[in-house]
């Protein structure tokens, strides 16, 4: 699978936000993350995908993945 610079930038952004305690989230950012996860699931539809896979792919914490996936399931 190709590596994209956007993915690396997003992971770095997550790390920087955690280190600086700047947790301002906007609706667009949440919707964008949902779209990225849906895209990942679509690209891997023939494989089993677990929450750990999403955490690793997007460089997010377990708590973030859990809350994001719960919100997506509720929608």
């Amino acid at each position: 699978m190709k590596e994209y610079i956007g993915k690396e930038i997003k992971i770095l952004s997550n790390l920087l936000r955690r280190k600086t305690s700047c947790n301002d989230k906007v609706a667009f950012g949440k919707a964008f993350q949902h779209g990225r996860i849906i895209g990942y699931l679509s690209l891997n539809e023939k494989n089993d995908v677990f929450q750990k896979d999403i955490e690793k792919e997007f460089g997010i914490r377990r708590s973030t993945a859990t809350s994001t996936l719960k919100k997506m399931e509720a929608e």
Side-chain angles (χ1 to χ4, degrees):
M1 185 196 261
K2 292 182 181 178
E3 292 294 322
Y4 295 103
I5 187 89
K7 175 184 157 191
E8 298 299 320
I9 291 171
K10 180 60 180 169
I11 291 170
L12 180 61
S13 172
N14 287 343
L15 292 171
L16 289 171
R17 188 177 65 246
R18 282 184 212 139
K19 294 292 182 191
T20 60
S21 299
C22 180
N23 290 318
D24 296 332
K25 290 188 177 183
V26 295
F28 176 78
K30 289 179 184 178
F32 183 70
Q33 181 74 356
H34 292 188
R36 293 176 68 228
I37 291 172
I38 291 169
Y40 177 76
L41 294 173
S42 177
L43 290 172
N44 292 283
E45 64 184 335
K46 294 182 181 179
N47 304 319
D48 290 333
V49 176
F50 301 96
Q51 180 173 324
K52 272 198 170 297
D53 301 322
I54 292 171
E55 293 166 16
K56 184 177 178 183
E57 178 69 18
F58 297 102
I60 58 176
R61 293 179 176 170
R62 184 182 343 161
S63 59
T64 302
T66 299
S67 64
T68 300
L69 294 171
K70 281 184 179 181
K71 288 174 187 173
M72 291 174 70
E73 288 175 353
E75 292 177 358

